[in-house]
Amino acid sequence: MKRTIIIGMISVLLAACSTTDEEPVPAPDGKVRVEFQLPGTYGVNVSNAQSRADNLPEAGEDWHELPETNATLLPVGSTLWLSYAKQNEDGITYSKPDLQGYVVGTNASGYNTLYPCTTTEGADGKLTLNPEAIGAPLYLETGTYKFKMISPAYPIDKELKMQVDNGMYLYSTDGRYEETSSRAEEIIVNATGVQYIKLNPIISQVARFTFTIQKGEGVNRLEPLAAGIEISGLQNPVMHDEQLTYNWSSENIADTLVMRIGDKRSWVTLPGEELQTDEDGTITGDIGVLPTLTMSTPIAILINMAINGVPTQYMTLLNEQMLLHARSYNLKWEVSVKEGQISVVTWQNQSWVTDLVNEE
């Protein structure tokens, strides 16, 4: 449901914010218009190896090593928040960050670019991108600034904290890696009235599960049921009656979204309608989950599918796994029917066997 709503919001935003060729208003006196090149993203790297990438840098350690993956540009329709903060006179600290919203669209020349959007405040006090109006460009005075980004532009509170949950995909600036950190940028008012800035790529803050279910011997038809795939034993986003929030614009590395030890009572569902079936009958799908340490309790994955028209459920347990951000954990099953029994074999070489009973 979350993913469906987000896709709908993006479609509206794209129509409203990215189809304009109007000339921008000249920069006010003492300021320059700041334009940002389309940012890249470090997505998810296929891995099941444990790492310290979800931990904070230790004493004497500057950066973690970035997972081996290539940056790709944000696609058309992507939304993002950008925060900007000016360096104070002490040359060390920065002012409280302000917020600007953008959407990725296509200009008249056919190139993807960022378009500013206005924001509105809801009854709950959270800010959302305005789907009906193009926002004013960002104008800044001369000085040193730090910029941070997060995408998609989910609703956010006035302190620029964002609620996060399992089932969400989330990319942001991340101070744990040099390649994704926020750099100090010099903004200088100039005769052209515009300054172009290229920021570091953003990186996925969640892990990803990908699922592949393919037909084996004796299987003519494989269909996902409405219940889809259910995953339980994930990090709980609710702690001490408070929803987990991500303070992505903070200058404090301790505000990085990291896995917590202990509380793993959450679950998430990938509905059957969001699973894809290709021409060969193979079912595929993916979903984002919060970083989770499962050394003491397993993650349970329940698959709901119809095999040759027969509704069936299968469960697999993942033990002693560390689900790290920016990693993809891929599960593959092959379903076979032999001598009236359904056999499901997984990537772990575990198998389940059940009687094939057709109640139709």
Side-chain angles (χ1 to χ4, degrees), residues 192-244:
T192 66
V194 62
Q195 181 171 342
Y196 293 92
I197 299 292
K198 182 179 181 180
L199 301 179
N200 276 339
I202 51 182
I203 189 170
S204 174
Q205 295 300 306
V206 299
R208 180 183 70 181
F209 274 122
T210 67
F211 306 101
T212 302
I213 309 172
Q214 61 187 29
K215 296 188 296 184
E217 180 181 347
V219 177
N220 302 316
R221 185 159 44 113
L222 202 57
E223 301 168 289
L225 298 179
I229 299 176
E230 303 170 43
I231 310 170
S232 59
L234 299 170
Q235 176 174 312
N236 188 7
V238 178
M239 186 176 184
H240 304 306
D241 298 324
E242 293 184 1
Q243 182 75 20
L244 179 63

Side-chain angles (χ1 to χ4, degrees), residues 93-147:
T93 61
Y94 286 80
S95 62
K96 182 178 179 180
D98 289 310
L99 191 68
Q100 180 89 347
Y102 292 91
V103 64
V104 180
T106 304
N107 60 24
S109 301
Y111 295 98
N112 294 350
T113 188
L114 288 177
Y115 289 91
C117 291
T118 61
T119 61
T120 56
E121 182 178 346
D124 57 359
K126 292 183 179 179
L127 303 174
T128 59
L129 285 183
N130 192 331
E132 300 176 354
I134 298 169
L138 179 61
Y139 297 105
L140 297 177
E141 59 189 13
T142 295
T144 300
Y145 293 80
K146 274 196 173 182
F147 302 94

Side-chain angles (χ1 to χ4, degrees), residues 35-304:
E35 298 285 348
F36 300 93
Q37 295 186 24
L38 190 64
T41 64
Y42 286 114
V44 284
N45 179 43
V46 178
S47 171
N48 60 4
Q50 294 186 7
S51 156
R52 293 184 297 112
D54 259 49
N55 301 326
L56 304 181
E58 298 176 352
E61 180 183 10
D62 292 329
W63 313 103
H64 284 305
E65 184 178 350
L66 188 73
E68 294 182 4
T69 185
N70 296 322
T72 58
L73 295 178
L74 279 173
V76 170
S78 300
T79 58
L80 67 85
W81 293 118
L82 181 141
S83 71
Y84 56 98
K86 186 180 181 182
Q87 191 177 77
N88 295 319
E89 293 182 358
D90 60 13
I92 301 174
T93 61
Y94 286 80
S95 62
K96 182 178 179 180
D98 289 310
L99 191 68
Q100 180 89 347
Y102 292 91
V103 64
V104 180
T106 304
N107 60 24
S109 301
Y111 295 98
N112 294 350
T113 188
L114 288 177
Y115 289 91
C117 291
T118 61
T119 61
T120 56
E121 182 178 346
D124 57 359
K126 292 183 179 179
L127 303 174
T128 59
L129 285 183
N130 192 331
E132 300 176 354
I134 298 169
L138 179 61
Y139 297 105
L140 297 177
E141 59 189 13
T142 295
T144 300
Y145 293 80
K146 274 196 173 182
F147 302 94
K148 294 190 175 185
M149 299 178 292
I150 190 167
S151 179
Y154 296 111
I156 195 168
D157 65 27
K158 292 182 180 180
E159 297 299 320
L160 307 191
K161 295 181 181 180
M162 180 181 293
Q163 291 187 354
V164 294
D165 200 348
N166 291 293
M168 296 171 63
Y169 282 111
L170 194 66
Y171 298 81
S172 77
T173 302
D174 194 325
R176 289 172 289 184
Y177 309 97
E178 181 178 10
E179 296 88 343
T180 63
S181 62
S182 175
R183 302 180 304 234
E185 303 282 351
E186 291 291 335
I187 300 298
I188 302 174
V189 175
N190 57 69
T192 66
V194 62
Q195 181 171 342
Y196 293 92
I197 299 292
K198 182 179 181 180
L199 301 179
N200 276 339
I202 51 182
I203 189 170
S204 174
Q205 295 300 306
V206 299
R208 180 183 70 181
F209 274 122
T210 67
F211 306 101
T212 302
I213 309 172
Q214 61 187 29
K215 296 188 296 184
E217 180 181 347
V219 177
N220 302 316
R221 185 159 44 113
L222 202 57
E223 301 168 289
L225 298 179
I229 299 176
E230 303 170 43
I231 310 170
S232 59
L234 299 170
Q235 176 174 312
N236 188 7
V238 178
M239 186 176 184
H240 304 306
D241 298 324
E242 293 184 1
Q243 182 75 20
L244 179 63
T245 58
Y246 179 25
N247 191 8
W248 59 280
S249 65
S250 170
E251 280 294 296
N252 189 345
I253 188 66
D255 286 323
T256 302
L257 180 64
V258 297
M259 66 176 66
R260 297 197 308 267
I261 304 299
D263 193 354
K264 295 179 285 296
R265 299 179 292 106
S266 188
W267 59 276
V268 69
T269 298
L270 179 59
E273 63 184 14
E274 295 187 16
L275 294 168
Q276 296 82 43
T277 304
D278 65 17
E279 296 179 355
D280 297 328
T282 298
I283 299 172
T284 59
D286 63 87
I287 193 168
V289 297
L290 295 175
T292 303
L293 178 64
T294 66
M295 304 305 288
S296 59
T297 56
I299 289 177
I301 300 178
L302 181 65
I303 314 162
N304 299 277

Side-chain angles (χ1 to χ4, degrees), residues 323-337:
L323 304 183
L324 303 173
H325 81 98
R327 305 299 205 281
S328 182
Y329 300 87
N330 303 335
L331 288 85
K332 299 180 180 180
W333 293 273
E334 182 178 274
V335 183
S336 301
V337 176

